[in-house]
Amino acid sequence: METTLRGVGVSHGVAIGEVRHMGTAVLEPPAKQIPADEAEREQGRARQAVEAVAADLIARGNLAGGEAQHVLEAQAMMAQDPELIADVERRIAVGSTAERGVYDAFAAYRALLANAGEYLAGRVADLDDVRNRIVARLLGVPMPGVPDSDEPYVLIARDLAPADTALLDPTLVLGFVTEEGGPTSHSAILARALGVPAVVALPGAGEIAEGTVVAVDGSTGEIFVEPSQEKRAEMESASAARKAALSAVTGPGATSDGHKVPLLANVGGPGDVPAALEAGAEGVGLFRTEFLFLDDSKQAPSEEKQIAAYRAVLEAFPEGRVVVRVLDAGADKPLDFLTPADEPNPALGVRGLRSLLDHPDVLRTQLTALSKAAEGLPVYLEVMAPMVADRADAKAFADACREAGLQAKFGAMVEIPSAALRARSILQEVEFLSLGTNDLAQYTFAADRQVGAVSRLQDPWQPALLDLVSLSAEAARAEGKSCGVCGEAASDPLLACVLTGLGVTSLSMGAASIPYVRATLAKHTLAQCERAASAARAADSADDARRAAQAVLSGE
């Protein structure tokens, strides 16, 4: 009998197939004591396992490339954390086996993360995955993971670690469903990069029996268990229609009546450029430069290394617009040379621009590298600061750009509610705004973007979030300046129409989402987008806002 479940759709498309479940977690190793004379040998085993796991994660990243590579390299750094390794060795020195020492050291660190504020608590799943890989290697057992299957299937898991998501084979994994996670979790971001339909934050998904046929709609978040033939035909027909619509629309982003909405790509480095170009991106709306810095948490990359990475991206978009976000360190992206180690709540502490203003040499080097990378190129370079709270922040950043001799537009990210509320004041110092809807939702609703239990508050359709977007766009229009969106909200085709109706002037997203957004915008006039935006803002919940906008755009 057909039943319907609803989670959060995070990656477009339809998948119909039999369920396969992710392998279970590694069992807890026994608490066995070892003689003192075996401690050195066990410490050596632990170090070897850590290095092997880190190397494996880096190798997986190299295979996957793009966004996945940066995520997995950060996870490898987590495995090699010197304090964690030192704790493992201390535990072995007093009698633990290598595997038990790893298990207990990671458990202690896990507790610290879980209690250090919701932002860092969202990294617990990544930490658990690293622990499981090291323990599995020490025990000599295979790491549980994506199931072996000769036939395509729909994967169900409690959550998916980046190392598993990055190497999913789209020819076998038709789509996936997780109980945890949210629209901006690593799994969601990587699913969109892979083009695999995905639904997250679906409690009870693990109870769907192995082999059960399900139909997954990654756009609506609906899961149909044992769908009827009629439902399957309906979804397959809708999926075919979507694909046909995508291939029929090409060129720059615009509404049906010709209102231009540039569609840009979010990239983490040169590895993400080919997919952006293939999708027809008109430029880069968010160049996340922090991935370059995460290669070594002990020191900033040299000016020469930065120049090479920046120039590779800038060269790919001649005559195009490339918006670079300067280093956004802190919270879940700590850097030993930059961010405090003892903050009680790093997400609310010295993060983003605050870190850079405390370390002006790091900011100056990055701005100088950007200036040199753009020399002689016909590219429209724009540079923006993360976590701008007020006009003073914006002025400090603009002054630093001028002092570095940077020939570019200077902008501010709107990720803190105060920046949206005082956007016009901030625009007295900078030339454009870019809305980071992921963090803006997190700070507006006090809801961690990685915690599935509060995913409804991370929904970018929340009317309160749309109000803040509207305030920012209105301020930019009043000042004759631009206001883009570079958060995950821009990747939702229906919401892209609403954002356009709110006055947003450009949309930036993962490359895989660009064709969907382009095709949807092309079906509606600017006036329709404006009416949909008004209807969404008048609603009292995210679901009601989505339905109201849909009703307007479908002519109901």
Side-chain angles (χ1 to χ4, degrees):
M1 178 179 172
E2 180 181 308
T3 57
T4 305
L5 305 173
R6 182 183 285 276
V8 178
V10 296
S11 185
H12 306 298
V14 168
I16 302 174
E18 292 188 0
V19 163
R20 296 286 182 273
H21 286 274
M22 195 76 171
T24 57
V26 173
L27 294 176
E28 180 179 347
K32 185 174 69 174
Q33 289 291 109
I34 60 168
D37 59 0
E38 292 184 15
E40 188 173 342
R41 179 179 66 84
E42 289 294 288
Q43 289 171 338
R45 286 183 63 229
R47 286 192 295 271
Q48 288 173 1
V50 165
E51 291 304 317
V53 165
D56 177 63
L57 289 169
I58 290 171
R60 284 169 176 260
N62 290 336
L63 282 173
E67 184 86 34
Q69 182 173 4
H70 305 308
V71 172
L72 292 175
E73 286 174 351
Q75 219 182 353
M77 287 174 55
M78 184 183 286
Q80 296 170 303
D81 184 277
E83 291 187 17
L84 258 176
I85 293 172
D87 191 19
V88 170
E89 293 188 343
R90 281 194 296 271
R91 292 171 187 275
I92 294 172
V94 294
S96 288
T97 60
E99 46 266 47
R100 188 69 206 192
V102 167
Y103 187 90
D104 289 341
F106 272 74
Y109 193 43
R110 187 186 199 279
L112 285 175
L113 283 184
N115 294 318
E118 289 185 347
Y119 202 98
L120 281 180
R123 288 294 170 264
V124 164
D126 290 2
L127 185 71
D128 287 349
D129 180 61
V130 172
R131 177 204 64 202
N132 289 347
R133 291 176 186 280
I134 298 171
V135 170
R137 184 169 288 272
L138 287 165
L139 291 174
V141 300
M143 173 65 193
V146 177
D148 290 327
S149 176
D150 295 329
E151 298 296 325
Y153 59 90
V154 173
L155 179 64
I156 290 184
R158 182 170 183 80
D159 202 353
L160 280 172
D164 294 315
T165 314
L167 295 185
L168 291 179
D169 182 351
T171 64
L172 283 177
V173 181
L174 301 171
F176 68 75
V177 181
T178 66
E179 295 190 55
E180 296 292 328
T184 60
S185 66
H186 280 155
S187 291
I189 292 170
L190 294 179
R192 286 188 285 272
L194 288 166
V196 176
V199 173
V200 301
L202 180 66
E207 297 171 14
I208 301 174
E210 185 96 0
T212 302
V213 174
V214 297
V216 179
D217 190 325
S219 299
T220 65
E222 291 175 305
I223 310 292
F224 301 94
V225 181
E226 298 289 8
S228 64
Q229 287 299 323
E230 291 78 11
K231 174 57 71 176
R232 294 174 70 161
E234 174 190 329
M235 293 183 71
E236 288 169 348
S237 175
S239 179
R242 280 181 198 158
K243 289 179 181 177
L246 292 181
S247 60
V249 181
T250 58
T255 58
S256 63
D257 55 341
H259 175 72
K260 293 183 179 180
V261 187
L263 302 181
L264 312 171
N266 295 344
V267 305
D272 294 333
V273 167
L277 292 172
E278 185 178 351
E282 298 168 58
V284 172
L286 173 62
F287 183 175
R288 301 183 178 99
T289 61
E290 62 268 20
F291 290 120
L292 183 63
F293 286 76
L294 290 171
D295 286 345
D296 183 355
S297 68
K298 300 297 183 186
Q299 59 183 359
S302 67
E303 182 179 305
E304 291 71 24
K305 183 176 181 179
Q306 291 189 54
I307 291 170
Y310 304 151
R311 193 170 180 88
V313 174
L314 294 172
E315 286 177 334
F317 295 94
E319 305 294 340
R321 176 186 178 199
V322 176
V323 184
V324 178
R325 178 176 70 190
V326 294
L327 176 61
D328 183 15
D332 66 331
K333 294 170 286 190
L335 293 171
D336 293 346
F337 67 88
L338 197 68
T339 48
D342 56 352
E343 288 186 304
N345 192 338
L348 301 179
V350 183
R351 179 190 167 191
L353 180 61
R354 299 168 187 175
S355 294
L356 292 173
L357 295 178
D358 281 351
H359 297 81
D361 54 324
V362 175
L363 177 58
R364 189 181 308 110
T365 299
Q366 183 171 26
L367 294 174
T368 301
L370 283 165
S371 180
K372 291 180 178 178
E375 283 179 2
L377 296 180
V379 67
Y380 296 96
L381 175 63
E382 301 184 10
V383 182
M384 61 186 181
M387 303 300 290
V388 170
D390 57 16
R391 182 172 179 173
D393 278 351
K395 183 179 188 305
F397 177 65
D399 286 347
C401 289
R402 294 187 191 96
E403 288 169 11
L406 188 61
Q407 299 298 308
K409 284 188 175 181
F410 317 142
M413 291 199 70
V414 178
E415 301 164 286
I416 301 172
S418 63
L421 294 167
R422 301 290 294 172
R424 197 158 183 181
S425 171
I426 287 171
L427 283 165
Q428 305 310 303
E429 304 294 342
V430 295
E431 298 173 82
F432 69 93
L433 300 177
S434 183
L435 287 141
T437 52
N438 306 356
D439 272 322
L440 185 58
Q442 172 171 251
Y443 290 120
T444 299
F445 297 103
D448 190 298
R449 53 198 278 190
Q450 299 293 331
V451 177
V454 294
S455 62
R456 77 172 185 86
L457 296 172
Q458 264 292 329
D459 191 327
W461 281 95
Q462 285 285 354
L465 186 66
L466 299 180
D467 288 344
L468 294 176
V469 173
S470 180
L471 279 173
S472 303
E474 287 173 7
R477 182 166 51 244
E479 293 296 326
K481 297 179 179 179
S482 63
C483 176
V485 169
C486 64
E488 291 300 312
S491 65
D492 179 334
L494 183 62
L495 185 51
C497 293
V498 168
L499 295 172
T500 298
L502 291 173
V504 166
T505 56
S506 66
L507 298 166
S508 188
M509 64 209 76
S513 297
I514 292 176
Y516 290 90
V517 173
R518 181 190 291 118
T520 305
L521 275 174
K523 291 192 293 187
H524 305 290
T525 66
L526 176 59
Q528 286 175 311
C529 292
E530 289 171 343
R531 288 197 297 273
S534 295
R537 287 186 66 194
D540 290 320
S541 72
D543 287 343
D544 288 346
R546 187 184 288 106
R547 281 191 287 267
Q550 180 68 67
V552 171
L553 294 175
S554 61
E556 294 177 10

